[in-house]
Amino acid sequence: MSSSTGAVQTGMPGGAAPHRPAAGRVVPTATYRLQVQPAFTFGAAAEQADYLAALGVSHAYLSPILAPAPGSTHGYDVVSHEFLNEEAGGAEGFDLLAAALRQAGLGTVVDVVPNHMTTPTPASLNHPWWFLLREGRDSDHAHWFDVDWDAEDGRVLVPVLGQSLEAVLAADELSVEAGGGPHGDETVLRYYDHVFPVRSGTESLDLADLVAAQHYRLCDWREGGSWLNYRRFFDVTTLVAVRVEDPDVFHHTHRLLLEEFGAGTIDGFRIDHPDGLADPAGYLARLADATGDAWVVAEKILEGHEQLPDDWRCAGTTGYDTLLRVQQVFVDPEGEAPLTDLLAELVGERQELDELVLAAKEQVVAQVQEAEVNRLMRLLAKIVPDEDQASLRRGLGALLVAMDRYRAYLVPGQPDDHDQLQVLAHAEARAATHVAEADQDAVGIVSLLAEGTPLDELDEAAEAAHREFMVRFQQTCGPVMAKGIEDTAFYRYARLTGLNEVGGDPGHLGLDPTELHAFASRQLASWPTTMTTLSTHDTKRSEDVRARLSVLAELPGEWAAWVRATRDLAARHRGSRLDPATEYLLLQTAVGAWPVDNDRLQAYATKAVREAKQHTTWTDPDSDYEADVATFVAALTTEPALVEQVGRWVDRAAPAARETLLGQKLLQLVLPGVPDVYQGTELVDLSLVDPDNRRPVDYATRRQRLTRLDAGEPASDLDDEKLLVTSRTLRLRRDHPEWFTGEDATYAAVPTSSAHALALGRGDASGTQVVAVMTRLGERLRADGGWGAAGLDLPEGAWEDLLTGRPVPPGPSGSAQLSEVLAALPVALLVRHGSLDPK
């Protein structure tokens, strides 16, 4: 039989050293992400423990559980590492949740935020930042934060004022209060909701002198964008970065979590943004030592063919690398040219993603990360004071823009890593092509310093600055990548917006199944218990929105006709300021998330256009432009003719969307690794970027549907079908982890005679026990006349479909007919007959 995929059988290759938690530590079979917040407390999560167990996961995976800013719905704005989230139920609520999970046979994985904490408004009890501002660089907490004290003459810049300090003083907007502060027993400086400590001995000064005498300098919030002198998370001034590389800081920020781990109420950790840390590998090693190598996954975005560093003591990533492959294998590459032409027709020019990314990253370096670049320049001035500083700045900016990944991993004082040096070398070569000839030497100087090579013999102060420069350059690369690509360029480039995802590659359409199988084999050999995902709290669109949008590549001609007709219908609602790229982005968003109400789409549109930073921004919004965008959105969601038009496309694309939606879900759940199900996505979920994806989940409906399916009722709609696929696959993984994450787990590409069927097998040393079959590019399949005589080369034996209970009829020459295997659903989960019998 001819095959669209070569057979690949992979277990653990000889000599490989797969990354696994230590013996005795539990590896999840699957996790279920829960967004803990005031509207969904620990107690509310506890009420769903039996449902999660019935669904088939082994662990609840919780968003950050430490005390966040009041009202936080995400938890990444940690206020205190000493307390659990009181608004979610505090320690008592968490204990209740842990007990409920254990009673249901489940474990717990929690999200950890080692990189930063928030500077709360109003001030928070015992917050290290409060002590830092009160006592300055002599504070016992000064070592917690990355502050460039020299930049502000020993003070911390605090950019919170609405205008200049002089204007604020003239307007009497600052006042001194006795008996204030988090303890209620000290003199404080108040600016509306902001409260600041007053330095001891300055209480009796007049207001202007008192303000000038503090360990901090209050200034206009706009000034912070250029001259902030403490490290922050990306561009969020209120998220101040902590120096978790300091053992004391690590101890205080992780003590409570490690105590819960020791008590058995936490089994594993997800690490937020390790690329922001001074030494990610060192942090993971310290955490592994503290937990005995617990199951830990790191939120690391791998670009292109980048590999996770071998020395990271963790189980792998949070799964964006898998998400990319799973999505792209269901995208039709034949749609690339017509969709490119359509975009050019709409925007009036042929757009190249690389050029958009370059421009966006240059903008981010010049504006969004200006304060960080200024700090790097202060270090360069200490290291190479005789070099042309203006030229060095241009070289530094070019090198930051030219980095094609979130960072390199070079640690001062440690042996050179050839692969990481090559990352910088390649960036240097690219940067040299984007600067004037006069600045090319500057690029080389900055690159040498970034890799740890001094140009001349340095004195002690310059050597210290050089070591700091190495670290801070790497810490700055991540924000430039994230803000430049995901949060700018991806909101500008609208060819196929479903591909504009975290860790995604919208510059290419489609992935050959052989590439998917090669990736899966590598994962099994190297990172067999990594996390896999399709939706997270950070994805720009849910997996099911992206599944719908993938269909555009299968129907590019019909889609182009629909877009033209829709634009004609919407012409009278299109203001003069609305640009074609934004209009096209909104049309795709509407069909992806339909039915979507006006409030949700308006909120998305506002975020999208401000992130794009072309016509309006968060810091300088253009009300006229945004009004035109709002008018168009309102028409899309309320004008009867447009509502009908959007619905017409959704209906037309529904068959192919169903195949992709179910196919990518099954594929994620059977690939090597530990799959995560983001809250609510066991049914069709049409969420957009946060905070839309933190809306309440209707668990009562999910329970009812699962109960009906378990009672033997057939699936009645696509929600039921997705729940069926999810629950049956999760339960299979739970009952037979040896086939998926065991020491002898195997992966096999199962040959088919159709390019529209993707099949793979999982099993152990005794052979393949599970075969998953998925339909891909169904519109082309139907255009070709359907499955016909196409077959599937099943391993020898009798097989039955776990989704339908039907045995697989044998086909000619030992193969199975795809038309039979996929008669009821566009996916199948085949299990060797008898392999599920009680042992």
Side-chain angles (χ1 to χ4, degrees):
M1 173 181 288
S2 62
S3 172
S4 63
T5 62
V8 179
Q9 183 84 25
T10 304
M12 297 303 167
H19 296 74
R20 295 185 185 277
R25 295 302 182 192
V26 175
V27 175
T29 63
T31 61
Y32 187 99
R33 171 75 175 204
L34 293 170
Q35 291 294 120
V36 177
Q37 54 175 301
F40 188 77
T41 64
F42 295 134
E47 294 174 358
Q48 305 307 327
D50 61 330
Y51 167 72
L52 299 186
L55 189 63
V57 301
S58 65
H59 286 68
Y61 159 34
L62 308 179
S63 60
I65 62 174
L66 297 179
S72 175
T73 62
H74 53 79
Y76 293 94
D77 45 357
V78 175
V79 169
S80 173
H81 298 89
E82 305 297 322
F83 304 97
L84 298 178
N85 187 342
E86 290 292 339
E87 291 185 323
E92 183 178 353
F94 182 73
D95 288 345
L96 174 68
L97 171 58
L101 292 172
R102 289 296 183 269
Q103 186 174 2
L106 303 177
T108 309
V109 173
V110 300
D111 205 334
V112 182
V113 190
N115 179 69
H116 57 268
M117 62 190 305
T118 196
T119 57
T121 304
S124 178
L125 179 67
N126 291 329
H127 196 293
W129 189 248
W130 177 270
F131 300 124
L132 178 79
L133 296 184
R134 185 174 65 187
E135 300 159 10
R137 66 196 311 170
D138 294 328
S139 166
D140 290 341
H141 291 82
H143 65 293
W144 275 57
F145 305 105
D146 284 332
V147 180
D148 183 358
W149 294 101
D150 295 338
E152 290 289 334
D153 297 323
R155 296 185 293 177
V156 180
L157 192 72
V158 180
V160 298
L161 306 181
Q163 51 188 332
S164 70
L165 175 60
E166 293 75 15
V168 166
L169 287 169
D172 292 327
E173 294 175 331
L174 277 170
S175 61
V176 178
E177 298 179 1
H183 296 283
D185 60 355
E186 58 185 290
T187 300
V188 298
L189 188 63
R190 177 176 290 278
Y191 175 71
Y192 295 101
D193 291 337
H194 296 275
V195 178
F196 303 101
V198 170
R199 182 178 182 178
S200 177
T202 67
E203 296 90 345
S204 61
L205 298 175
D206 66 59
L207 183 58
D209 289 340
L210 182 149
V211 171
Q214 302 311 308
H215 290 295
Y216 51 88
R217 180 169 76 83
L218 299 178
C219 67
D220 188 322
W221 65 269
R222 296 169 184 83
E223 190 175 342
S226 299
W227 301 112
L228 196 73
N229 66 328
Y230 60 84
R231 189 167 62 88
R232 56 185 170 166
F233 174 70
F234 289 3
D235 60 343
V236 186
T237 302
T238 57
L239 293 180
V240 55
V242 296
R243 298 182 61 251
V244 76
E245 66 271 17
D246 186 296
D248 180 64
V249 178
F250 178 89
H251 169 73
H252 281 92
T253 55
H254 288 65
R255 179 191 59 79
L256 182 55
L257 294 173
L258 292 175
E259 285 179 357
E260 296 289 350
F261 177 82
T265 54
I266 293 176
D267 301 295
F269 302 97
R270 178 261 192 195
I271 307 304
D272 183 68
H273 187 48
D275 279 342
L277 306 179
D279 180 9
Y283 167 80
L284 290 170
R286 180 174 283 122
L287 183 62
D289 288 342
T291 62
D293 285 292
W295 186 78
V296 172
V297 289
E299 185 206 19
K300 166 60 188 168
I301 311 301
L302 297 170
E303 296 290 333
H305 296 291
E306 180 184 5
Q307 300 293 309
L308 200 63
D310 287 337
D311 62 346
W312 280 23
R313 286 174 62 184
C314 63
T317 74
T318 53
Y320 289 112
D321 44 352
T322 297
L323 184 157
L324 167 65
R325 275 82 177 181
V326 171
Q327 179 175 359
Q328 285 275 25
V329 83
F330 291 96
V331 175
D332 193 339
E334 292 191 4
E336 183 164 355
L339 289 178
T340 302
D341 292 341
L342 176 60
L343 179 64
E345 172 190 328
L346 296 174
V347 303
E349 62 180 0
R350 297 191 73 84
Q351 291 185 330
E352 296 294 335
L353 179 60
D354 288 346
E355 295 176 1
L356 290 178
V357 167
L358 177 64
K361 292 177 73 175
E362 288 175 341
Q363 182 178 352
V364 165
V365 167
Q367 299 173 9
V368 180
Q369 293 291 294
E370 184 183 9
E372 285 69 27
V373 173
N374 284 336
R375 185 167 183 178
L376 288 170
M377 286 304 304
R378 292 194 292 270
L379 292 170
L380 286 176
K382 295 177 181 179
I383 305 167
V384 284
D386 297 331
E387 296 291 339
D388 183 333
Q389 297 297 301
S391 182
L392 283 178
R393 187 183 188 94
R394 292 189 291 270
L396 171 62
L399 192 63
L400 286 168
V401 168
M403 285 289 291
D404 64 350
R405 56 194 63 193
Y406 273 64
R407 65 176 286 170
Y409 300 96
L410 296 167
V411 180
Q414 292 190 7
D416 290 343
D417 183 318
H418 174 76
D419 291 340
Q420 299 303 321
L421 292 176
Q422 286 299 304
V423 170
L424 280 173
H426 293 154
E428 178 185 351
R430 287 188 293 270
T433 66
H434 292 109
V435 297
E437 184 175 352
D439 293 326
Q440 290 186 2
D441 285 346
V443 172
I445 291 171
V446 174
S447 180
L448 283 172
L449 294 175
E451 72 182 30
T453 303
L455 301 182
D456 299 300
E457 185 174 341
L458 303 176
D459 60 27
E460 185 176 347
E463 284 184 359
H466 186 197
R467 290 192 297 271
E468 184 179 349
F469 178 81
M470 279 186 67
V471 173
R472 297 206 184 286
F473 175 83
Q474 295 177 74
Q475 289 174 310
T476 307
C477 292
V480 172
M481 285 288 290
K483 301 304 296 182
I485 298 177
E486 297 165 17
D487 292 341
T488 302
F490 280 6
Y491 283 101
R492 297 177 179 180
Y493 186 63
R495 181 172 69 177
L496 184 57
T497 58
L499 300 183
N500 298 11
E501 196 46 82
V502 181
D505 183 12
H508 298 89
L509 270 66
L511 181 76
D512 190 273
T514 57
E515 295 182 57
L516 172 76
H517 294 312
F519 168 78
S521 298
R522 289 195 303 271
Q523 292 293 86
L524 183 60
S526 301
W527 302 95
T529 59
T530 187
M531 180 178 276
T532 70
T533 191
L534 283 182
S535 297
T536 76
H537 62 284
D538 277 336
T539 42
K540 305 304 182 185
R541 299 160 186 83
S542 71
E543 60 203 62
D544 300 331
V545 171
R546 300 197 308 272
R548 283 184 172 186
L549 293 174
S550 293
V551 177
L552 307 188
E554 298 182 48
L555 297 168
E558 292 184 45
W559 169 247
W562 181 90
V563 169
R564 297 183 189 108
T566 306
R567 296 188 75 237
D568 288 344
L569 281 174
R572 65 189 181 91
H573 304 288
R574 186 185 304 113
S576 61
R577 302 287 302 279
L578 179 62
D579 57 295
T582 298
E583 180 180 0
Y584 191 35
L585 169 71
L586 292 173
L587 290 179
Q588 291 183 58
T589 304
V591 299
W594 200 256
V596 57
D597 63 37
N598 187 55
D599 288 345
R600 287 180 59 212
L601 193 54
Q602 291 286 4
Y604 172 82
T606 299
K607 180 167 185 172
V609 296
R610 291 181 179 179
E611 294 284 13
K613 306 175 188 64
Q614 288 182 299
H615 308 282
T616 185
T617 66
W618 292 107
T619 56
D620 189 19
D622 184 325
S623 58
D624 291 337
Y625 174 78
E626 291 186 5
D628 276 359
V629 172
T631 297
F632 183 79
V633 169
L636 268 182
T637 55
T638 62
E639 172 67 30
L642 284 169
V643 169
E644 181 181 357
Q645 176 74 350
V646 175
R648 188 177 296 116
W649 175 263
V650 172
D651 291 342
R652 165 63 186 95
R658 169 179 175 251
E659 292 156 354
T660 297
L661 184 152
L662 296 177
Q664 66 181 14
K665 193 64 196 174
L666 178 58
L667 181 57
Q668 179 225 349
L669 296 178
V670 297
L671 282 174
V674 175
D676 175 58
V677 177
Y678 185 75
Q679 61 174 30
T681 59
E682 63 270 32
L683 300 190
V684 177
D685 177 81
L686 301 174
S687 295
L688 300 171
V689 71
D690 67 285
D692 192 63
N693 58 18
R694 294 198 294 271
R695 289 173 295 140
V697 175
D698 181 358
Y699 284 108
T701 293
R702 285 161 174 77
R703 286 173 174 272
Q704 293 167 2
R705 286 180 178 270
L706 188 58
T707 298
R708 285 194 291 100
L709 293 174
D710 288 346
E713 293 187 22
S716 62
D717 57 15
L718 185 54
D719 280 318
D720 275 359
E721 291 175 346
K722 190 179 185 190
L723 182 59
L724 180 71
V725 169
T726 303
S727 61
R728 274 43 181 176
T729 313
L730 291 175
R731 292 172 183 178
L732 182 64
R733 294 185 62 102
R734 177 196 62 197
D735 295 342
H736 290 277
E738 71 275 12
W739 298 343
F740 299 95
T741 54
E743 291 287 340
D744 297 321
T746 59
Y747 178 92
V750 177
T752 74
S753 59
S754 171
H756 301 292
L758 174 66
L760 62 91
R762 301 304 308 274
D764 53 22
S766 63
T768 297
Q769 306 295 332
V770 179
V771 173
V773 189
M774 294 132 285
T775 303
R776 59 187 293 268
L777 315 184
E779 286 298 330
R780 269 210 276 147
L781 171 67
R782 282 180 283 279
D784 294 340
W787 293 117
L792 169 72
D793 278 353
L794 283 175
E796 185 178 353
W799 297 82
E800 58 188 76
D801 188 354
L802 196 59
L803 303 178
T804 64
R806 296 174 62 243
V808 177
S813 304
S815 67
Q817 297 295 105
L818 285 168
S819 58
E820 290 284 349
V821 172
L822 301 175
L825 291 169
V827 295
L829 183 61
L830 309 181
V831 180
R832 187 181 294 280
H833 184 71
S835 62
L836 300 184
D837 293 343
K839 296 181 180 179

